[in-house]
Amino acid sequence: MRKLLKSLLTITLLISSVSAFSQTKDVVIPEDILIKAKEWVATLNLTDAAKKNTVENVIAVHLTTVKDWHNDHPSSTVPDGINPVTGNKLNDLDKQIIADSAMPITVHQALMDGLNKNLSPQQVEAVLDKYTIGKVDFTMKGYKAIVPDLTADEEAKILSFLKQAREQAVDYKNMKEISAIFEIYKTKSEQLLNNNGRSWRALYSAYTKKIKEAKAKQ
């Protein structure tokens, strides 16, 4: 145990839940995760040392818990079946998302409560962007490029969808899963445009044609 502690830091966190997380659990935080948490918080330029340390711990505990849950619940724990929306057979990514989505909601709540208690709304968004490598801004820019005449109402609703995707996605282990969560809300955004009398397929086709033509000229 002493050898392990040379490379790992231990933070004891009481997590309340109806699952196995309902008991006092020692969250052993790997050094690389603690370093990542510190790097993320450093970009916030917090001047309160105590608050800075608290936020670092909140993020590190959450990242570690997500990782541990993911590792303890591989896709193989989910039986074969079909997607009830598409009818397609569940693939490995589908199963892993199902397994990871069963993580107790209290894990997410602990993260958001800890962030909201110690940070401004803008700082909370900055942290969530770190988790999702800025996919909200990147995706929003894509929609504006594909739909140049996007209305203020459409932009606001799509941005709301993307922010929902971002907060939900932080509870998943890797970028494949995070991207899959964003796809759910991108589909909602594209359906919104269709419902407003636009054709997302036609808009996207016209955009890709324009890009190809521009590349050909170069």
Side-chain angles (χ1 to χ4, degrees), residues 136-151 155 158 162 193 198 200 202-211:
V136 168
D137 184 57
F138 176 82
T139 308
M140 194 71 238
K141 286 179 179 178
Y143 279 120
K144 288 181 178 180
I146 297 169
V147 192
D149 60 342
L150 201 65
T151 68
E155 182 177 345
I158 291 174
L162 295 179
L193 295 173
R198 302 176 183 274
W200 170 254
L203 287 166
Y204 186 76
S205 177
Y207 174 74
T208 54
K209 181 180 179 181
K210 180 180 177 181
I211 295 298

